[in-house]
Amino acid sequence: MTDKTIVHLLRHGEVHNPEGVLYGRLPGYRLSEDGVLMAKAAAKWFADRDVTALFSSPLQRALETAAPLVDAFGLMVTVDERLTEAANHFEGLTFGVGKGSLRRPEHWRRLVNPFKPSWGEPYKELAARMKAAVISAREAARGHEAVCVSHQLPIWVLRRRAEHRRLWHHPGKRQCGLCSVTSLTFEGTRLVEVSYCEPAAGLAKDPGVAGA
């Protein structure tokens, strides 16, 4: 009989970011008060599931999102660098026109190729490292369920790869809300289903918060 394993990709909760910068991989960005509530809501959603393995991006906001799951399941969280945020040239800057970084000509060359993309980590490389992290999680939880706490763009690019869609996309059309869960169901090593839900829907005062 083939083992059924589910790997859940949990996006972190809302981040305290009053300056509205693209924080990317910068240290020190913690969950907001709403973000903490979101993480608890996600943990409640997982409460009756067969979670036997827990992985997280090394970034503070991801580890804080994983914390309620540590308490709920009595699991240790394994930090996996492959789950981290995508590299981005605009990290630490505000993005946009007006007072944003796009008004400065030295940044314009970074926007010439949205298909790679030219401003950050190539989508193909991002999808490959996320796929490798999911395979590790699947093997660790074989026959059960695993949770991997990560970030919007890595999760969305992996989902597009899993669904055999092109990797380049419009950022505003990502289906990956704060503390959302993208679930990959495997029979043995074969992916048989991709599903999505938002356990913390409605908890964010500003669902479009910068930095993702």
Side-chain angles (χ1 to χ4, degrees), residues 142-194:
R142 181 173 287 276
H144 304 279
E145 302 180 35
V147 178
C148 297
V149 186
S150 188
H151 308 267
Q152 185 190 68
L153 179 56
I155 293 172
W156 183 241
V157 168
L158 176 67
R159 177 176 170 181
R160 293 184 70 88
R161 171 55 58 82
E163 295 176 336
H164 305 289
R165 292 191 278 168
R166 65 171 187 253
L167 300 185
W168 60 270
H169 59 277
H170 190 294
K173 295 183 178 180
R174 295 172 187 161
Q175 187 185 39
C176 191
L178 291 164
C179 263
S180 62
V181 181
T182 300
S183 301
L184 307 178
T185 301
F186 295 89
E187 290 181 356
T189 61
R190 184 169 67 94
L191 178 65
V192 296
E193 183 182 9
V194 178

Side-chain angles (χ1 to χ4, degrees), residues 21-41:
V21 303
L22 287 168
Y23 40 77
R25 297 177 175 178
L26 295 175
Y29 281 88
R30 58 177 175 82
L31 294 183
S32 66
E33 291 182 1
D34 284 344
V36 172
L37 294 177
M38 290 176 187
K40 291 179 179 178

Side-chain angles (χ1 to χ4, degrees), residues 4-114:
K4 178 181 177 180
T5 308
I6 304 176
V7 178
H8 303 281
L9 296 160
L10 172 62
R11 184 187 171 194
H12 63 78
E14 184 185 85
V15 173
H16 179 70
N17 182 22
E19 295 82 14
V21 303
L22 287 168
Y23 40 77
R25 297 177 175 178
L26 295 175
Y29 281 88
R30 58 177 175 82
L31 294 183
S32 66
E33 291 182 1
D34 284 344
V36 172
L37 294 177
M38 290 176 187
K40 291 179 179 178
K44 185 176 180 179
W45 184 86
F46 282 109
D48 295 326
R49 304 196 69 96
D50 184 24
V51 176
T52 61
L54 177 60
F55 300 85
S56 176
S57 154
L59 296 176
Q60 181 176 347
R61 58 192 183 272
L63 291 168
E64 290 180 351
T65 300
L69 289 165
V70 171
D71 294 338
F73 292 100
L75 296 170
M76 292 185 62
V77 61
T78 299
V79 173
D80 190 333
E81 296 281 349
R82 296 171 295 187
L83 296 170
T84 197
E85 180 63 281
N88 193 312
H89 167 76
F90 294 97
E91 181 177 282
L93 304 175
T94 54
F95 188 79
V97 293
K99 294 183 179 180
S101 54
L102 293 188
R103 68 187 293 269
R104 295 162 57 184
E106 64 265 32
H107 297 302
W108 294 350
R109 65 185 179 85
R110 294 289 183 170
L111 303 175
V112 297
N113 185 358

